[in-house]
Amino acid sequence: MKYALISDIHANLEALQAVLEKANELEVDQFLCLGDVVGYNAEPVECVKIIRSLNTGAIIKGNHDENAAQDSELTGFNPQAAKAIQWTRDQLSEEDREWLASLPYRQTIGAKVTLVHATLDMPHLWGYIFDRFTAAASLSYQFSQLCFVGHTHVPQIYDKYTDIVQNGVDQVVNLEPGHKYLINIGSVGQPRDGDPRSSFAVHDTEERTIEIHRVEYDIQKCQDKILAAGLPERLAARLAVGR
Ligand code: ZN
């Protein structure tokens, strides 16, 4: 089985289309989505529609999905993110918002794979894993060999037993039996590791490998839509630098 794992699409239609095209080229069998389909960028309706129509084994809820689905006050978001969430709420249908609200915080696929947007220790509190120390709390709740996460928009692979952290970008990482891995797959729609290309992962269960792929997309087109929608300029600017 060959899975494509995608996360943090953030309403970036151009990026999503480019990633799906690449995944199809790689002949993946199924998609696993780690959440934040909406937020920040200007195509939430179209991105929700595409994700709902994909052949997915699981779709997990992200913090932007949760907030876009609610009517509550927006606390804990920077002003630009909050503005984008309010704008997103106004775009989505009630039906799409109910669908976002219904997504689970975590899901297990077979015995070996767990999916969560932020962390396994407290998925609903949206903590960030930036290094092996913050990874440790999540790893202590991880009973499967692999746990895939998103949320930071920075791809990274943590090996619990060797403490080795690698970014896994454009290189095949062989999974060692008996090791436990926490894999951040990066972001499709708003990468933040200084590389503006979209990020997603392919996990081959027979070859026992993971590879993080980076894909170019039409950034300018996405930026034009952000500005035309009246969303904060900074949200367009950051896409060009991957921050
Ligand atoms: Zn996100």
Side-chain angles (χ1 to χ4, degrees), residues 35 40 55 57-58 61 94 97-99 106 122 137 164 166 202 209 211 218 220-221 226 241:
Y40 292 124
N55 172 18
K61 189 196 289 180
E94 267 318 300
R97 295 177 79 208
E98 277 164 27
W99 174 75
R106 76 178 107 186
M122 286 180 284
I164 291 172
Q166 52 185 322
V202 171
T209 58
E211 185 169 1
D218 192 341
Q220 177 78 55
K221 194 169 171 187
I226 291 168
V241 288

CSV table of all heavy atoms in Angstrom, one decimal, residues 35 40 55 57-58 61 94 97-99 106 122 137 164 166 202 209 211 218 220-221 226 241:
chain,number,residue,atom,x,y,z
A,35,GLY,N,-5.3,17.4,8.2
A,35,GLY,CA,-6.1,18.6,8.7
A,35,GLY,C,-5.6,19.9,8.3
A,35,GLY,O,-4.6,20.1,7.6
A,40,TYR,N,-6.2,30.9,6.2
A,40,TYR,CA,-5.1,31.6,5.6
A,40,TYR,C,-5.3,32.0,4.1
A,40,TYR,O,-5.3,33.2,3.8
A,40,TYR,CB,-3.7,30.9,5.6
A,40,TYR,CG,-3.1,30.8,7.0
A,40,TYR,CD1,-2.8,29.5,7.5
A,40,TYR,CD2,-2.9,31.9,7.8
A,40,TYR,CE1,-2.3,29.4,8.8
A,40,TYR,CE2,-2.4,31.7,9.1
A,40,TYR,CZ,-2.0,30.5,9.6
A,40,TYR,OH,-1.5,30.3,10.8
A,55,ASN,N,-10.0,9.8,-2.6
A,55,ASN,CA,-10.0,8.5,-2.0
A,55,ASN,C,-9.1,8.6,-0.7
A,55,ASN,O,-7.9,8.4,-0.8
A,55,ASN,CB,-9.5,7.5,-3.0
A,55,ASN,CG,-9.3,6.1,-2.4
A,55,ASN,OD1,-9.8,5.8,-1.3
A,55,ASN,ND2,-8.5,5.3,-3.0
A,57,GLY,N,-8.2,7.4,3.4
A,57,GLY,CA,-8.4,6.4,4.4
A,57,GLY,C,-8.7,7.1,5.7
A,57,GLY,O,-9.2,6.5,6.7
A,58,ALA,N,-8.4,8.4,5.8
A,58,ALA,CA,-8.7,9.2,7.1
A,58,ALA,C,-8.5,10.6,6.8
A,58,ALA,O,-7.7,11.0,6.0
A,58,ALA,CB,-7.8,8.7,8.2
A,61,LYS,N,-8.9,16.4,11.9
A,61,LYS,CA,-9.3,17.8,12.1
A,61,LYS,C,-8.0,18.6,12.6
A,61,LYS,O,-7.3,18.2,13.5
A,61,LYS,CB,-10.3,17.9,13.2
A,61,LYS,CG,-10.9,19.3,13.4
A,61,LYS,CD,-11.7,19.4,14.7
A,61,LYS,CE,-13.0,18.6,14.7
A,61,LYS,NZ,-13.7,18.8,15.9
A,94,GLU,N,-23.0,25.8,5.6
A,94,GLU,CA,-23.2,25.2,6.9
A,94,GLU,C,-22.9,23.7,6.9
A,94,GLU,O,-22.3,23.1,7.8
A,94,GLU,CB,-24.7,25.3,7.3
A,94,GLU,CG,-25.0,26.6,8.2
A,94,GLU,CD,-23.9,26.8,9.3
A,94,GLU,OE1,-23.7,25.9,10.2
A,94,GLU,OE2,-23.3,27.9,9.3
A,97,ARG,N,-19.2,23.3,7.1
A,97,ARG,CA,-18.7,23.6,8.5
A,97,ARG,C,-19.1,22.4,9.4
A,97,ARG,O,-18.3,22.0,10.3
A,97,ARG,CB,-19.3,24.9,9.0
A,97,ARG,CG,-18.8,26.1,8.2
A,97,ARG,CD,-19.5,27.4,8.6
A,97,ARG,NE,-18.9,27.8,9.9
A,97,ARG,CZ,-19.5,28.6,10.8
A,97,ARG,NH1,-20.8,28.9,10.6
A,97,ARG,NH2,-18.9,29.0,11.8
A,98,GLU,N,-20.2,21.8,9.2
A,98,GLU,CA,-20.6,20.6,10.0
A,98,GLU,C,-19.7,19.5,9.7
A,98,GLU,O,-19.3,18.7,10.6
A,98,GLU,CB,-22.1,20.2,9.7
A,98,GLU,CG,-23.0,21.0,10.5
A,98,GLU,CD,-24.5,20.9,10.0
A,98,GLU,OE1,-24.8,19.9,9.3
A,98,GLU,OE2,-25.2,21.9,10.2
A,99,TRP,N,-19.3,19.3,8.4
A,99,TRP,CA,-18.4,18.3,8.1
A,99,TRP,C,-17.0,18.5,8.8
A,99,TRP,O,-16.4,17.6,9.3
A,99,TRP,CB,-18.2,18.2,6.6
A,99,TRP,CG,-17.1,17.2,6.1
A,99,TRP,CD1,-17.3,15.9,6.1
A,99,TRP,CD2,-15.8,17.5,5.7
A,99,TRP,NE1,-16.1,15.3,5.7
A,99,TRP,CE2,-15.2,16.3,5.4
A,99,TRP,CE3,-15.1,18.7,5.5
A,99,TRP,CZ2,-13.9,16.2,5.0
A,99,TRP,CZ3,-13.8,18.6,5.1
A,99,TRP,CH2,-13.2,17.4,4.8
A,106,ARG,N,-7.8,12.3,16.1
A,106,ARG,CA,-6.8,11.4,15.8
A,106,ARG,C,-7.4,10.1,15.3
A,106,ARG,O,-8.6,9.9,15.5
A,106,ARG,CB,-5.9,11.1,17.0
A,106,ARG,CG,-6.6,10.2,18.0
A,106,ARG,CD,-5.7,9.8,19.2
A,106,ARG,NE,-6.2,10.5,20.4
A,106,ARG,CZ,-5.5,10.5,21.5
A,106,ARG,NH1,-4.4,9.9,21.6
A,106,ARG,NH2,-6.0,11.2,22.5
A,122,MET,N,-2.1,15.7,23.9
A,122,MET,CA,-3.3,16.4,24.0
A,122,MET,C,-3.7,17.0,22.7
A,122,MET,O,-3.5,18.2,22.5
A,122,MET,CB,-3.1,17.5,25.1
A,122,MET,CG,-3.0,17.0,26.5
A,122,MET,SD,-2.8,18.2,27.8
A,122,MET,CE,-1.1,18.6,27.6
A,137,ALA,N,6.9,14.3,24.4
A,137,ALA,CA,5.6,14.1,25.1
A,137,ALA,C,4.7,13.4,24.2
A,137,ALA,O,4.0,12.4,24.7
A,137,ALA,CB,5.1,15.5,25.4
A,164,ILE,N,17.7,10.7,16.4
A,164,ILE,CA,18.1,11.4,15.2
A,164,ILE,C,16.9,12.1,14.6
A,164,ILE,O,15.8,11.6,14.5
A,164,ILE,CB,18.7,10.4,14.2
A,164,ILE,CG1,20.1,9.9,14.7
A,164,ILE,CG2,18.9,11.1,12.8
A,164,ILE,CD1,20.7,8.8,13.9
A,166,GLN,N,15.8,14.2,11.2
A,166,GLN,CA,16.1,14.5,9.8
A,166,GLN,C,14.9,15.1,9.1
A,166,GLN,O,13.8,14.9,9.5
A,166,GLN,CB,16.6,13.3,9.0
A,166,GLN,CG,15.8,12.1,9.1
A,166,GLN,CD,16.4,10.9,8.4
A,166,GLN,OE1,17.1,11.0,7.4
A,166,GLN,NE2,16.2,9.7,9.0
A,202,VAL,N,5.1,10.5,1.2
A,202,VAL,CA,4.6,9.2,0.7
A,202,VAL,C,5.2,8.1,1.6
A,202,VAL,O,6.4,8.1,1.9
A,202,VAL,CB,5.1,9.0,-0.8
A,202,VAL,CG1,4.7,7.5,-1.2
A,202,VAL,CG2,4.4,10.0,-1.7
A,209,THR,N,9.2,2.5,3.7
A,209,THR,CA,9.9,3.8,3.5
A,209,THR,C,8.9,5.0,3.6
A,209,THR,O,7.7,4.8,3.5
A,209,THR,CB,10.4,3.8,2.0
A,209,THR,OG1,9.3,3.7,1.1
A,209,THR,CG2,11.5,2.8,1.8
A,211,GLU,N,9.1,9.2,2.3
A,211,GLU,CA,9.8,10.2,1.5
A,211,GLU,C,9.0,11.5,1.6
A,211,GLU,O,7.8,11.4,1.4
A,211,GLU,CB,10.1,9.8,0.1
A,211,GLU,CG,11.0,10.8,-0.7
A,211,GLU,CD,11.5,10.3,-2.0
A,211,GLU,OE1,11.1,9.2,-2.4
A,211,GLU,OE2,12.2,11.1,-2.7
A,218,ASP,N,1.9,27.3,-8.6
A,218,ASP,CA,1.8,28.7,-9.1
A,218,ASP,C,1.5,29.6,-7.9
A,218,ASP,O,0.4,29.9,-7.6
A,218,ASP,CB,0.7,28.8,-10.1
A,218,ASP,CG,0.6,30.1,-10.9
A,218,ASP,OD1,1.2,31.1,-10.4
A,218,ASP,OD2,0.0,30.1,-12.0
A,220,GLN,N,2.2,32.8,-7.5
A,220,GLN,CA,1.6,34.1,-7.9
A,220,GLN,C,0.1,34.1,-8.1
A,220,GLN,O,-0.6,35.0,-7.6
A,220,GLN,CB,2.2,34.5,-9.3
A,220,GLN,CG,1.7,35.8,-9.9
A,220,GLN,CD,2.3,37.0,-9.2
A,220,GLN,OE1,3.5,37.2,-9.1
A,220,GLN,NE2,1.5,37.9,-8.7
A,221,LYS,N,-0.4,33.0,-8.6
A,221,LYS,CA,-1.9,32.9,-8.8
A,221,LYS,C,-2.6,32.8,-7.5
A,221,LYS,O,-3.6,33.5,-7.3
A,221,LYS,CB,-2.1,31.6,-9.6
A,221,LYS,CG,-3.5,31.5,-10.2
A,221,LYS,CD,-3.6,30.4,-11.2
A,221,LYS,CE,-5.1,30.1,-11.6
A,221,LYS,NZ,-5.2,28.9,-12.5
A,226,ILE,N,-5.6,35.8,-2.9
A,226,ILE,CA,-5.6,36.3,-1.5
A,226,ILE,C,-5.8,37.8,-1.5
A,226,ILE,O,-6.7,38.3,-0.7
A,226,ILE,CB,-4.2,36.0,-0.8
A,226,ILE,CG1,-4.1,34.5,-0.7
A,226,ILE,CG2,-4.1,36.7,0.5
A,226,ILE,CD1,-2.7,34.0,-0.3
A,241,VAL,N,8.3,33.2,0.2
A,241,VAL,CA,9.6,32.9,1.0
A,241,VAL,C,9.4,31.6,1.8
A,241,VAL,O,10.4,31.2,2.4
A,241,VAL,CB,10.0,34.1,1.8
A,241,VAL,CG1,10.5,35.2,1.0
A,241,VAL,CG2,8.9,34.6,2.7
